[in-house]
Amino acid sequence: MSIIYFDHAATSYPKPQEVIEAVGQAVNLGNPGRGGHFLSKEASRVVTDARYEFASFFGCESAESVIFTKSATEAVNLVLKGYHWQKGDHIIASGFEHNAVYRTLHYLEKTIGISVTYLQDSEALHKENIISNITESTRLLICTHGSNVDGTLLPADIWGDISREYELKLLVDAAQSAGIHPIHMTNQNIDYLAVPGHKGLLGPQGIGILLLNNKDTLLSPLIYGGTGTFSEEPEQPAEIPHRLESGTLNVSGIAGLHAGVKEVLHRGLKNIQNHEEEMLYDFLQKIESMPEVSITQPASFPARLPVVSLRVKGLDVHEIAVILDEHYNIAVRAGLHCAPLAHSRAGTNNIGTLRISFGYNNTKDEVNTLIRALREIIDGLLG
């Protein structure tokens, strides 16, 4: 029996064949920027072509401002740890933050003495509520574009308008939205965009991107070392992308991600969004017939991501996930999903939720199979 996969919020599956082939072909290339021979130059071409593709896809002003990382988490850290903070600086965060952001902010609070305001309830959806939290010390806004717990989709346009109006910087965490919802950094006034490669963009694990639309802030690197440029200098070069990309790049990951983005473009961003929403609403309609199930409702409506978190009265969500996996070959996720703020907001931070997240290749037959499996599990365990 083949696996039925409903864990796309963690990583997309299956990867397109074009992605697998691109990864394999790039493994035997040289080290980009570290030689004048054919294999090194071919690796550099693969990396450069990808930079231009991603800059265009996300509306970034410059291909040189596309920084390759191992993950969206590293991209977030590049911004938050690389920014030149002073004690007393203030940040406003949306309140839906993944631990990639939340723990990094906590570290900055402890070590530097910055302060962070996490917006509550639906404050992050409304311009006047965001503005009311701005102080003279506010330096940065952080918008989690989409919640990996309840599917709340935040209005990045509004956050961008505020950052422009109040001359603040804006970091958008697009871990759940990239490749599903359109993002244009220039039009939306996004200074920093953190993107994973392995989720909505359909690429392999271990590759991410930080895109910069900010020319007046020189971030400090997380890692110092060889960049293939200015090798005679002891100082890290100021030029991007080299400043933030010490060491050998993940060329095969970059090639695979480039192939993934091309597949997204081929399928059409709007078509992907419509298909995943169709699966989402089909599931939500059918789950209504189960009174034992409670859904964690998103703060945004009708706009939302194809993610559902639920609980079943009297049952442990981890037990349900194990049964779905071992007896039905259905992959979901149970727990806190590395997002304690979102669970605290929903009142589910004690035991977490069972999360079902839909992808570009799920079908209504698979949704029906999941519904039947949940019905059988609930009947069997609750009698």
Side-chain angles (χ1 to χ4, degrees):
M1 176 186 286
S2 61
I3 191 170
I4 297 177
Y5 189 81
F6 289 112
D7 195 21
H8 294 273
T11 194
S12 56
Y13 173 90
K15 305 298 181 183
Q17 185 61 33
E18 293 83 356
V19 170
I20 297 170
E21 292 174 0
V23 170
Q25 291 168 4
V27 165
N28 278 325
L29 293 179
N31 200 331
R34 271 71 165 181
H37 53 79
F38 170 78
L39 288 177
S40 177
K41 290 191 289 186
E42 183 64 11
S44 294
R45 182 196 63 78
V46 168
V47 171
T48 300
D49 288 352
R51 287 195 208 276
Y52 278 94
E53 185 81 76
F54 303 147
S56 174
F57 188 85
F58 289 110
C60 185
E61 294 176 353
S62 169
E64 287 73 28
S65 297
V66 175
I67 313 299
F68 290 114
T69 66
K70 70 179 180 182
S71 60
T73 297
E74 183 179 352
V76 166
N77 274 260
L78 273 171
V79 176
L80 294 183
K81 288 187 175 179
Y83 202 87
H84 298 159
W85 301 107
Q86 295 182 2
K87 184 177 181 179
D89 283 346
H90 177 239
I91 295 173
I92 297 174
S94 60
F96 291 87
E97 276 63 44
H98 185 278
N99 275 340
V101 179
Y102 180 49
R103 285 179 171 171
T104 312
L105 290 177
H106 179 68
Y107 168 82
L108 295 177
E109 286 179 299
K110 290 176 58 180
T111 58
I112 297 177
I114 68 164
S115 62
V116 183
T117 297
Y118 294 98
L119 301 182
Q120 302 296 317
D121 301 321
S122 61
E123 286 181 332
L125 301 173
H126 303 294
K127 184 174 182 178
E128 61 275 11
N129 290 331
I130 302 170
I131 291 173
S132 68
N133 286 279
I134 295 176
T135 73
E136 291 184 356
S137 301
T138 305
R139 299 289 177 266
L140 179 71
L141 305 178
I142 301 178
C143 174
T144 298
H145 197 200
S147 170
N148 70 326
V149 175
D150 61 22
T152 295
L153 186 66
L154 298 185
D157 296 28
I158 290 177
W159 284 74
D161 289 343
I162 295 170
S163 69
R164 180 185 293 110
E165 182 179 350
Y166 287 84
E167 298 183 347
L168 302 171
K169 306 304 180 190
L170 173 61
L171 165 62
V172 171
D173 175 4
Q176 295 299 321
S177 58
I180 302 173
H181 282 266
I183 299 170
H184 195 286
M185 294 181 68
T186 301
N187 292 349
Q188 295 174 294
N189 201 51
I190 298 170
D191 296 288
Y192 312 108
L193 184 70
V195 176
H198 64 104
K199 298 186 182 184
L201 296 181
L202 309 180
Q205 295 91 337
I207 186 69
I209 317 171
L210 171 64
L211 299 101
L212 310 173
N213 249 12
N214 190 312
K215 299 298 188 293
D216 62 351
T217 300
L218 189 63
L219 296 174
S220 297
L222 277 179
I223 300 172
Y224 289 75
T227 60
T229 59
F230 303 100
S231 297
E232 72 282 4
E233 299 292 337
E235 300 291 337
Q236 192 79 354
E239 291 77 8
I240 55 173
H242 311 292
R243 178 175 179 79
L244 303 176
E245 288 183 346
S246 290
T248 298
L249 292 175
N250 179 3
V251 179
S252 56
I254 293 168
L257 178 53
H258 193 180
V261 170
K262 286 182 176 179
E263 182 65 15
V264 170
L265 290 168
H266 173 71
R267 291 172 179 263
L269 197 65
K270 189 63 178 178
N271 293 332
I272 292 173
Q273 179 184 341
N274 289 342
H275 175 78
E276 295 183 2
E277 287 179 352
E278 183 180 1
M279 298 302 104
L280 166 70
Y281 289 114
D282 185 48
F283 175 81
L284 289 175
Q285 182 182 35
K286 290 170 179 173
I287 203 72
E288 287 180 354
S289 64
M290 299 184 191
E292 305 92 340
V293 174
S294 60
I295 302 291
T296 301
Q297 296 298 333
S300 60
F301 188 83
R304 60 171 297 173
L305 292 174
V307 177
V308 178
S309 280
L310 59 85
R311 293 197 292 179
V312 179
K313 187 176 182 180
L315 296 182
D316 182 86
V317 293
H318 297 86
E319 182 180 10
I320 298 173
V322 169
I323 295 172
L324 284 171
D325 178 40
E326 295 183 352
H327 294 276
Y328 295 92
N329 274 13
I330 297 176
V332 298
R333 183 174 174 183
L336 294 177
H337 321 302
C338 301
L341 292 178
H343 280 284
S344 294
R345 177 191 304 272
T348 55
N349 53 328
N350 53 343
I351 60 170
T353 59
L354 187 75
R355 186 182 70 187
I356 295 95
S357 49
F358 303 91
Y360 71 104
N361 64 335
N362 285 130
T363 66
K364 287 190 175 183
D365 285 343
E366 291 178 332
V367 172
N368 289 335
T369 300
L370 174 59
I371 291 293
R372 286 195 299 269
L374 288 172
R375 182 73 270 167
E376 289 176 8
I377 293 169
I378 292 171
D379 290 345
L381 295 180
L382 295 180

